[in-house]
Amino acid sequence: MQTLVLVKPDGVLRLKIGEIISRFENKGIRIAGLKMISVSKEMAERHYAVHRGKPFYDSLIKYIMSGPVVAMVLEGKDVIDITRKLVGATNGAKAEPGTIRGDFSSSIDFNLIHASDSIDSANYEIPIFFKESEIINYERVDKSWL
Ligand code: CMP
């Protein structure tokens, strides 16, 4: 199973890339794809198509294009649920301490990170950011303990 994670511009500009990646690595999740990108308008609109028409849509599109984004494909058993637990609730003010958003965000707009919320979302979102050739298959050396 795979999921898409984006460290959004606030996460990159606040120097949280390493901290965020460490949380996934420490949990035993395999990083199958990783890159820093500038999100184009077309990519932003495709990625956030489900939010079109909502009051926060225009500012969301503007914000995701406002600075660098680190995109990742994470892979593993139950990776979507495990990742969502590590990420925490959408609103940083309500996210549990110990989660990424709970520890580093008090905002719903600037919540550092995006993670696919279902298999369907992951299947839709991953190809927006990654070609198949950019997703790499390898084994973690600690796989037998994870
Ligand atoms: P993300 O997981 O990137 O998906 C959509 C984003 O919209 C969400 O994180 C929030 O940063 C942002 N957002 C702003 N207002 C809301 C809201 N009321 N409900 C959900 N998402 C919101």
Side-chain angles (χ1 to χ4, degrees), residues 6 8 47-48 50-51 54-57 59-60 63-64 84 87 90-91 101 107-116 125:
L6 303 177
K8 301 198 279 190
H47 177 65
Y48 282 131
V50 289
H51 295 298
K54 296 184 185 168
F56 56 88
Y57 177 76
S59 56
L60 181 59
Y63 156 61
I64 199 73
R84 298 278 295 178
V87 167
T90 305
N91 186 344
R101 288 172 175 156
S107 162
I108 194 165
D109 298 306
F110 304 119
N111 60 1
L112 284 108
I113 185 164
H114 167 86
S116 309
E125 293 170 0

Side-chain angles (χ1 to χ4, degrees), residues 45-107:
E45 286 177 346
R46 275 175 67 199
H47 177 65
Y48 282 131
V50 289
H51 295 298
R52 195 186 298 266
K54 296 184 185 168
F56 56 88
Y57 177 76
D58 288 346
S59 56
L60 181 59
I61 296 293
K62 206 168 145 196
Y63 156 61
I64 199 73
M65 294 170 59
S66 70
V69 164
V70 170
M72 278 174 259
V73 175
L74 305 183
E75 192 169 305
K77 188 168 175 288
D78 300 326
V79 73
I80 294 174
D81 282 352
I82 296 170
T83 300
R84 298 278 295 178
K85 280 202 183 106
L86 292 175
V87 167
T90 305
N91 186 344
K94 295 188 178 154
E96 290 291 325
T99 64
I100 294 167
R101 288 172 175 156
D103 287 349
F104 299 112
S105 165
S106 312
S107 162

